[in-house]
Every structure is written in structure tokens, then in C-alpha cells.
Amino acid sequence: MQLIDEPTRVLDDLAAGILWTYPQLARVPNTRGFYWPQHDEQLVPLIGGGGSGHDPAHWGYVGRGMLAAAVMGEMFVPPTADDIVAVTRVVAKQHRVFFIVKNFVADVTSFTVAKTRLEAAGYEVGMTIVADDISVEGPALATRKRGVAGTILVHKVLGAAAAAGASVPALTALAQQLAPCIKTIGFSLAGAVVPGQEAPSFTLPPHSVAYGVGIHGEPGYRTEPFQSAELLARELITKLRQAFRWQAGEQYAVLVNSLGGTTVMENLVFNRDVRELLALQPITVAFNHVGNFMSANGMHGLSLTLMRLADPAWLTALQAPVAVPAW
Amino acid sequence: MQLIDEPTRVLDDLAAGILWTYPQLARVPNTRGFYWPQHDEQLVPLIGGGGSGHDPAHWGYVGRGMLAAAVMGEMFVPPTADDIVAVTRVVAKQHRVFFIVKNFVADVTSFTVAKTRLEAAGYEVGMTIVADDISVEGPALATRKRGVAGTILVHKVLGAAAAAGASVPALTALAQQLAPCIKTIGFSLAGAVVPGQEAPSFTLPPHSVAYGVGIHGEPGYRTEPFQSAELLARELITKLRQAFRWQAGEQYAVLVNSLGGTTVMENLVFNRDVRELLALQPITVAFNHVGNFMSANGMHGLSLTLMRLADPAWLTALQAPVAVPAW
């Protein structure tokens, strides 16, 4: 049972709730796009987006130091190219913009079409496609590498660069450097629920955990009996270590992201397990952030993102103060 | 099923998680107390506390501009007087301290005993007992008026005063002024769960809502079928209007607090309903904060706190920037 009003208008009610709660944001008419009217026109605006239902993504990252705007579509459905163009026209007064897109076919299609149309209209458009999820392996599955919570770190690092005046080519180059350095893997103890639907997206046997589930409640790569948070942390770190092949002395940032249905206590116990296990590795953790950043509409699960801090400036960027609802 | 390790050591794991995640905090040995070592000794330290299981209360309010320390007990059990004395001795270098206590018999007992012992040792000790819950009515039930999410606003307003150099008598006077101006009422769609126990604290028929439930999962004053978030908002506002007997032109702050098991979408839809309904009242809302501030360990419910801004300085205090994990 969900604590909402009419399921058919829940995204409109959410939009109204966002504006009541964060009056520094404004809505782009006839879209599910939000922008920050105080954004400095001299800076390249960053725009993120994707399906609704990942609250506080992506509207929660609009404001000083991160995104100039975010545009959502329907529940778990990305915005249309029309929506993206409309939002861009509002914030890109200098006809320059940079898109941060998660690697799902429909998302990439919408943003690519919008980019093409905006370029035809004379805009300079940069774009990065975040594909941080490592729960599927092998070159044949590269297109299935989804963009998940690591996207928030891309918002943060590119946001710091944009706030410092980076050009579209500079943002593009930075995003290319970041791409291989951010990897995420998650798990869930239950499926995700869509407003108005009582049945979850998948079901698990009692006391089970599914590794590698997606932020839309896609089933994961393996299901097994749940034993402890520590064993989950161990599994995820093993996968991440294999993916990074890390070297002694490297610095990392750690992001523990709730999929929306965990408690603060659970998040912190899991982060404790992660940090205790990473303390046994020959790397150092220079940054650690724990919270509800990109959810699967209340799914009882977590994801773990590691970011290799290949450039010391990235750590400074992660630490830079911002004024947004959800960092 | 809870995402933890051994239930018997969950509070120790939580404490370790807090320190890994917020290295600016420190733990007082042999207690579940946390303090901020950078606290200016010239300022009166505020100490909050209560049972564990209300994360991010109370450790989440330790830092610049709010509490100097917070001390928790076992799950849903307040700290002992010994714990409170030990934490006070660490932060009250000038032998002055101010306690913010929630109105539960065991909490008040522990803090009162600690106060008496500290005063005997030469400390100047102020104390306020927050009793913002209005779900029980009538003078005979005054002792059952619990301290709930309004406590966070007391932390914030007293925190601003303490940061500005207020004395213990000045903090006491301010707390007395605040007391009648902060009122809270909540509801839940399910009982609360204690780590290591599978059964919730109470059960509801399917698709039901219980009004007036407490932060320890105490059953509420009425249970009825759930219809919509808007009807819940209407019920709570009616109760709050009756309690405040508000006058046209008064200013209020609004705090929507998740009991830990709601999604960001649910919180914002509910806040939308609250704000739309309050817009029909002859009062103005000058401050609105929505989030997970004082939970009942993941209970699927919310509380609504209104604070009458009788003094314009209180609004300034609510808006003042702070550096704590959970404001």
C-alpha cells in the first residue's frame, strides 16, 4: 500500500510537492522538468534526467554546483526528446549544454534525438552516457551495462567543473576520463513497486537476496538465501575488485546508495561492513557518502559505487559544497 | 527481514558505521554517545538523547549549530544516567550544559538523575522536556504527551541560540517559550520492527491507517481504512488547528518527518497535500522541511509538526546553516 492520492496523478502530485518543498526550483511548463532559475548563464548548464520513480534523482541534484536542470519522464520511462529540448531551451541561454544520461536504450535514444535537433538549431551539445553497473559481464553484454547510482558522482564532479567555467569540450573530456573509474553493483531483498500496482516487479523466496538488480526492479544475476549484510558487502567488493583490478596505494570514493526501502540503520551497518572490508585492501578511501540518492521507488536494497580517484581534483570536486536538495 | 549482521550487536555495528561515515564525530567510550570534538568550549553545549532505533536521531544532529553531543541507549530504551554524565563530562569543559529530553518517563528519569548528580558536582545544568505530541488529549493525559519529531526543531532553534552564546538561563527561557508553539501528530500504515524481532510492534488490518502512533510503534488513537494521503493530511491538520487555535496572520514552520519507511515520493506527495490544505487556512507557512529526521526504525508512516513562529528570530534560527549529518 502506498501513501499517495490518485495513482494516475501521482507524478503531478510529486511535482507539486517538489515545488512546495524546494521553492528555489521551478518547473518547465508541460514537462516533468525542473530547473534552477539562479543558474549563471555564463556557465555551461548540466542537464540530467531519466525515468520518474528514482527520487530524489534527478530533481534532487538541481541547484548550485550540480545540475542546472533535470528532466524526468513517466514512471520508469525516460523523458521524450521534446521534453529534453524544451528544458534545454529554458536553461541554455548561451546555446551550450551538457547532458548526463544513463545507459538505457530508451534514455539514450531520447537524449540523442534531442541533441541532434538542438545541434541543428545551432546549439553546442555535449553528452556523456553513464554505464557504471557491473552486474553483467563480458563484451557481448556491454550494451546492457546500465547507468545507476554512479551517475550521481558524475553529476557532482562535472558539476564542480561546470561551476568553475569548463567548456563543453572540457566537460566531454572529463566525462571520458571518469567513465572507466566509476563502477556500481547492487542487491535487493525484494522487488520494486510501481505506484498504482500492488505487485512488485519480481518476487523472491522468503529471506533471499538478489544480486545485481536494477533500479527499475530488474531481477539480478543470482538469488541466494540472505545471511548477513557483511556477506553482501563481501560479494559486492569482490566483484568491484575484479572489475577495477586495483593497485596498491590507489585512492577511492565510496558511495552507498539506498534503493529507497532501507533504514538509516541498515545503510550505516552496511557501510560499516564495506569500510571494514575495504580497510583490508591495499587501497585508501578518501571520500564516503551514504544515503538515498537514486532509488527504485522504495525497493529494499542497496548499491555500492566505487570511484577511483585517478585525479586529485576529483576528490576536491566531490568535497565541494553544493546547494541542492539531495546531495 | 533486516539488512544487518548479528542482531545482538547491531547497535555496535551502527556506532561503527556512524564513525566511518561521519569521521567528524567521536564516540564517548563505553557509551552510545557521540560528540563533536570541534565544539567551541566557550559555548554552552547542548546534549540530546533517547533510545536507539530513531536514526538519524539523535546522533544526526551533532555538529556545528546544533548539538554538541547526543547519547543513545539500547533499542527504544534511553541512556542511563551514568551514560549521560559520562558524555556531559566530555563536552562540558566549562561545567555548563543544556539537555533536550523527550517526554517519556524513562528518558526524563535518566536525564533528571544525571542533572542532579552533575549539579552536586558543581555543574550548571539546564533541561527542557519536549512534549510536542498531541495525539492524546485532555489534562489527565498530560504526562502521556510524548516528545517526538518536534524535538528536532528544538535542537535547531536552541542550537542557533547556543551558537550565538546564550547562557543556560537564556536557553531555559527560550525553551519555555518554544514549548507551547511546537505540536506534532503522526500516523502509520504498519507497526514498527525491532532488530532481531520479526514481528512488528502492532499489526493493522490490510489497507488501514492508525492515527497517533508513537515513535516506538505504540498503537494510535484510531484505526480506519486508508483512503488517500490527502485525507490523512486533513485529519492531522484538523487536530493541529484545534490544538493551536490559530489566529489569522500567524506564521508557521512545517516539518514533515518520515518514520523511516516511506519513500521520498510519498513524503513529497504528503507535503504537497499538507501545503495545499494549509494554503486554505488564514496562516502563512514561512519554513518547510521534509525528510527522515526521527524514525521508528523503518515504520511506514509520517508525522506532521507545526511550529508557531511567535518570534521572528525563530525563523532566522530555523534557516541558519548548520553542519550536521541529518538536518
Side-chain angles (χ1 to χ4, degrees), chain A residues 240-241 244-252 281-284 308:
Chain A
L240 287 161
R241 190 184 58 205
F244 276 110
R245 302 175 180 279
W246 54 53
Q247 307 292 315
E250 288 179 345
Q251 281 204 323
Y252 282 81
Q281 298 290 324
I283 60 172
T284 51
R308 187 161 68 83

Side-chain angles (χ1 to χ4, degrees), chain B residues 144-216:
Chain B
R144 280 182 49 200
K145 280 204 170 185
R146 302 167 291 206
V148 288
T151 309
I152 306 306
L153 299 180
V154 177
H155 291 171
K156 188 70 169 67
V157 176
L158 291 186
S167 65
V168 171
L171 291 167
T172 304
L174 175 56
Q176 284 170 347
Q177 291 178 296
L178 287 173
C181 296
I182 301 178
K183 299 180 193 297
T184 299
I185 187 163
F187 62 83
S188 182
L189 306 177
V193 171
V194 174
Q197 299 180 12
E198 289 294 325
S201 56
F202 62 92
T203 54
L204 292 174
H207 291 270
S208 296
V209 56
Y211 291 108
V213 295
I215 55 173
H216 307 101

